[in-house]
Amino acid sequence: MIRAYVFDAYGTLFDVQSVSAVTDAAFPGHGEIITQVWRMKQLEYSWLCSLMGDYQDFWSVTRRALTYTLGILGLQPSEQLFDDIAEAYNCLTPYSDAAEALAGLSGVGRAILSNGSPTMLQALVGNSPLAPFIEDTISVDPKRCFKPDPRAYELVEERLGVKPGEVMFVSSNGFDIAGAKRFGFNVARISRVPQADLAAELAGSGPLSASAFYRALRTQEEALGYPPDIVVTSLSELAAPPTQGGGREPISVTPQ
């Protein structure tokens, strides 16, 4: 039975797209492309650092990804403006269903496992309405690697004292879902972008937007052979997903 729900932070509990208000205010007309490339490069740099054995914490990765993004667009912010844009990742907006979902899971452990550095997560969670519902916030920093490296997922048992089969890991990120499932967790995927809707958008005759390209790469299940155990469209479905008869019951997964 599940003893702990462990959530990814960026893109699962907190909306990474909410930085667009800051990026567009800083460079009007460029907000969308900055937001999407910045996030994709942020993740790419985390994987590169892990593969190269050259660990840099997520704050450094985030700032380097922003440097890359603004550089390819030929944008030259002042040092203060650059710092203000980067700070947006410490002030992300929680998804509207996050607080309700976490509150509904009272009685089991609720934690975050994130690539974020300890300082980033302290700011992100501490300044949000989700803080009262999170018992532990775990950064990958002690392992000096990023998800989906298996060493990052080891931190859950080390910190919470639960076996992988007793964990329901929750994420909307395909790479994280595959990594967590490969590690041995039970995995719930938050599917906020229906595949059929995305396919229709990508098949349209108009030009492909930066946000559509991002959704195509980062919001769908990876074809790596590690599917999630359950798929829900909202975090609030975790505590009591619909049953075939129309009622609601808590999730129970038998460890494999």
Side-chain angles (χ1 to χ4, degrees), residues 4-16:
Y5 280 73
V6 179
F7 295 81
D8 169 57
Y10 299 104
T12 300
L13 293 178
F14 295 90
D15 185 4
V16 296

Side-chain angles (χ1 to χ4, degrees), residues 11 14 18 37-39 43 81 94 98 115 118 130 167 181 187 200 207 213 215 217-218 235 256:
F14 295 90
S18 64
V37 175
W38 185 14
R39 173 59 173 167
L43 289 172
L81 181 57
N115 280 339
L130 307 187
V167 172
K181 184 61 182 176
V187 178
F213 188 69
R215 290 193 295 274
L217 290 180
R218 292 289 172 261
L235 286 165
Q256 299 179 1

Side-chain angles (χ1 to χ4, degrees), residues 30-113:
H30 296 283
E32 181 183 6
I33 187 68
I34 294 172
T35 298
Q36 309 313 329
V37 175
W38 185 14
R39 173 59 173 167
M40 286 191 283
K41 209 65 183 177
Q42 179 196 52
L43 289 172
E44 182 182 327
Y45 279 178
S46 73
W47 302 328
L48 285 172
C49 287
S50 289
L51 287 168
M52 293 189 301
D54 182 25
Y55 180 77
Q56 302 173 39
D57 73 18
F58 205 56
W59 183 236
S60 176
V61 165
T62 298
R63 289 175 64 89
R64 290 182 184 275
L66 180 58
T67 297
Y68 173 92
T69 301
L70 298 180
I72 64 168
L73 295 171
L75 301 173
Q76 298 180 340
S78 66
E79 183 176 341
Q80 184 59 58
L81 181 57
F82 183 94
D83 290 344
D84 290 344
I85 299 171
E87 185 63 22
Y89 258 90
N90 293 328
C91 306
L92 297 175
T93 303
Y95 282 103
S96 59
D97 54 359
E100 176 189 357
L102 291 168
L105 291 170
S106 61
V108 295
R110 294 162 294 179
I112 284 173
L113 174 66

Side-chain angles (χ1 to χ4, degrees), residues 175-190:
F175 75 89
D176 202 12
I177 291 163
K181 184 61 182 176
R182 172 67 178 82
F183 181 75
F185 290 148
N186 303 290
V187 178
R189 175 179 174 241
I190 310 302

